Amino acid sequence: MNVFGRVKTSINTREAAERYGVEVNRHGKALCPFHNDRNPSLFVDDDHYHCYACGEHGDVIDLTAKLFGLKLYEAAQKLAYDFGITQDKPPDKAMQEKQNRKSEAQRLRENEKLCFSALLEYMKLLQEWKRLYVPRTPEDKHDDRFVEACHNLDYVEYLVDLLIMGDSYERKEVIEMVMTDSKLQKLQKHLKKVRKEEKHIGEQEL
């Protein structure tokens, strides 16, 4: 039996989809990774997948090829190695690098986790600053941290809400916006600086 036969008899489409970053619910429905899907229109069964919105259709090898931009034979090889069902010699370096690429769905999920983690930490920090540094009298000078919280908190809360409750299209838009122009790296650097300053202040108070 060749690699195509081994893959098709050993790996079902659903388990491959889930391994490669497509979240399939108990009804076999998922947000289609091949278009901006607002509602789950991809149906994933054991032996095939079909999107009722964009028309993408095929078996486990077709799905893997489409997710990673591979030829069908390369996709079959990737499945065989990833699921440990082949005794063939390891692929050469160029093929291994190609097979190790992450799918768009996997990259999106990883970026979503990074963005959510940073935005959630920043939101909690701003909420704390707005509570701790609010002016007690009209004559009090506004603390820079209070000003920053007033300027940014509502928007950051909105972004966090979208990442929690938004559809795939809305979440992808948030991720792309946060990842553009090194915004995420700048936010992470800002949070790191704040943590360092707070740690230094805490050590001085001991």
Side-chain angles (χ1 to χ4, degrees):
M1 185 181 294
N2 62 23
V3 65
F4 288 97
R6 290 199 301 272
V7 165
K8 289 182 180 181
T9 57
S10 302
I11 308 168
N12 70 53
T13 309
R14 178 166 181 152
E15 64 183 344
E18 291 176 333
R19 175 162 186 159
Y20 296 141
V22 180
E23 298 182 33
V24 184
N25 67 24
R26 59 192 179 91
H27 302 295
K29 300 297 290 294
L31 294 168
C32 181
F34 307 126
H35 73 282
N36 286 326
D37 199 4
R38 290 181 175 270
N39 298 294
S41 57
L42 182 72
F43 176 70
V44 185
D45 205 349
D46 287 347
D47 62 350
H48 75 285
Y49 70 97
H50 178 78
C51 179
Y52 291 95
C54 69
E56 283 293 336
H57 179 90
D59 60 20
V60 64
I61 297 175
D62 296 314
L63 176 69
T64 305
K66 182 73 175 178
L67 284 172
F68 292 93
L70 301 172
K71 296 178 181 177
L72 291 178
Y73 181 68
E74 294 171 342
Q77 282 187 310
K78 175 174 178 59
L79 285 160
Y81 285 110
D82 286 351
F83 284 86
I85 62 169
T86 180
Q87 300 299 317
D88 295 345
K89 66 179 182 178
D92 59 34
K93 184 176 180 181
M95 179 60 71
Q96 188 68 58
E97 289 176 355
K98 204 170 188 180
Q99 291 178 353
N100 285 339
R101 288 186 311 198
K102 292 174 181 174
S103 72
E104 180 63 25
Q106 288 172 314
R107 288 196 297 271
L108 188 62
R109 287 180 68 181
E110 290 181 1
N111 287 339
E112 183 174 345
K113 288 180 181 178
L114 289 172
C115 292
F116 181 74
S117 177
L119 286 171
L120 183 63
E121 181 181 352
Y122 189 43
M123 182 186 76
K124 291 179 178 178
L125 178 67
L126 293 177
Q127 289 172 339
E128 182 179 6
W129 282 356
K130 194 169 185 179
R131 177 177 56 85
L132 291 177
Y133 302 109
V134 58
R136 303 304 174 186
T137 69
E139 293 77 23
D140 287 347
K141 181 181 178 181
H142 285 183
D143 189 286
D144 289 342
R145 289 163 290 189
F146 177 75
V147 174
E148 182 176 341
C150 290
H151 285 168
N152 298 338
L153 181 56
D154 287 347
Y155 183 56
V156 174
E157 287 178 334
Y158 169 70
L159 295 179
V160 171
D161 285 344
L162 282 179
L163 289 178
I164 294 174
M165 297 180 292
D167 59 34
S168 65
Y169 182 82
E170 291 169 329
R171 298 200 309 273
K172 186 175 181 180
E173 283 193 325
V174 171
I175 294 164
E176 289 177 349
M177 184 276 294
V178 175
M179 302 291 287
T180 301
D181 298 328
S182 302
K183 291 188 184 74
L184 178 60
Q185 290 85 348
K186 291 175 183 176
L187 176 57
Q188 290 171 328
K189 186 177 180 179
H190 180 50
L191 292 169
K192 184 178 180 180
K193 180 182 177 182
V194 170
R195 288 195 298 267
K196 186 175 180 180
E197 290 174 349
E198 290 181 343
K199 182 180 178 182
H200 180 66
I201 293 172
E203 289 173 348
Q204 286 183 329
E205 292 176 348
L206 291 178

